[in-house]
Amino acid sequence: MKKKIEVRMLAGRLALENARKNPQIKAAIAQYGYNDARLREGEEKLEAAEQWQRQQKDLYANKTELSRQLARDEQELVALYTNHLTIARFAFRNDEAWQNTLQLNGARVKVRAGKLQQIRTFYRRLTNPAINMLKKLGAVTEEITQAQAMADALVDCSATAKIR
């Protein structure tokens, strides 16, 4: 479809230019009311359509880049989460309350929205005592803080994208 629009715009551009420059064509279409004023009007409309088409291309290019960046951010978050989840499972292997609070057991959600929500829930429920326990086993506080912020941002961004 994209190509059809571009081809039609090009054909329109050529038709208008030929009508302006070729006296025989100009005389032939003048019989049907297409004088210089109407040709200018057609050119203005075509320019507006071409401008709109450029804006659409820019919009789709930006959307594609945003999708790629979100995928990279999600991949980074999942890597951090997997590491922190492994540490938490070991740290709280004998503590059923923490296992339930942090949802350490059971399958991980595969669907993007559910997966991001599960990750955000994990990070939101990490309190200072839990973080201190994870730090004792090698977790880095800055990574946990980064993952918390990323989880919130990605869930919010995912929700916003679905609304549009």
Side-chain angles (χ1 to χ4, degrees):
M1 173 121 172
K2 177 177 133 183
K3 296 293 182 189
K4 288 182 182 179
I5 292 172
E6 291 172 353
V7 168
R8 287 184 179 181
M9 285 187 183
L10 179 59
R13 173 70 55 203
L14 291 174
L16 285 167
E17 286 180 17
N18 286 337
R20 276 200 175 278
K21 293 178 181 177
N22 188 317
Q24 292 173 329
I25 296 173
K26 196 173 194 176
I29 63 172
Q31 297 173 10
Y32 299 102
Y34 291 101
N35 55 22
D36 284 336
R38 296 269 321 260
L39 290 175
R40 274 193 301 279
E41 181 183 329
E43 287 175 337
E44 289 170 3
K45 288 180 179 181
L46 181 61
E47 288 170 8
E50 288 170 342
Q51 176 64 26
W52 181 83
Q53 181 69 12
R54 284 189 294 275
Q55 289 172 342
Q56 291 301 304
K57 282 183 178 182
D58 292 346
L59 177 68
Y60 286 119
N62 291 340
K63 186 176 180 181
T64 300
E65 181 53 36
L66 178 61
S67 293
R68 286 185 187 135
Q69 185 60 48
L70 288 173
R72 286 190 295 265
D73 290 348
E74 181 182 340
Q75 188 176 16
E76 182 181 348
L77 175 62
V78 168
L80 288 170
Y81 170 67
T82 302
N83 182 44
H84 295 147
L85 180 66
T86 302
I87 294 170
R89 283 178 172 163
F90 181 78
F92 301 115
R93 66 189 177 280
N94 296 323
D95 190 333
E96 193 173 323
W98 275 113
Q99 290 175 13
N100 291 333
T101 300
L102 298 175
Q103 301 175 347
L104 299 180
N105 300 322
R108 300 295 99 189
V109 179
K110 301 285 186 217
V111 178
R112 174 182 262 174
K115 174 175 56 175
L116 291 174
Q117 189 61 47
Q118 187 175 45
I119 292 170
R120 180 163 80 168
T121 299
F122 173 82
Y123 284 111
R124 283 189 169 182
R125 292 181 179 176
L126 277 178
T127 60
N128 284 333
I131 292 172
N132 289 334
M133 179 63 96
L134 297 181
K135 283 175 28 180
K136 289 178 186 176
L137 297 172
V140 179
T141 307
E142 292 78 21
E143 286 181 355
I144 293 171
T145 304
Q146 176 189 3
Q148 287 170 328
M150 287 176 72
D152 285 338
L154 285 172
V155 168
D156 292 344
C157 188
S158 177
T160 301
K162 288 190 184 342
I163 290 171
R164 291 181 197 174

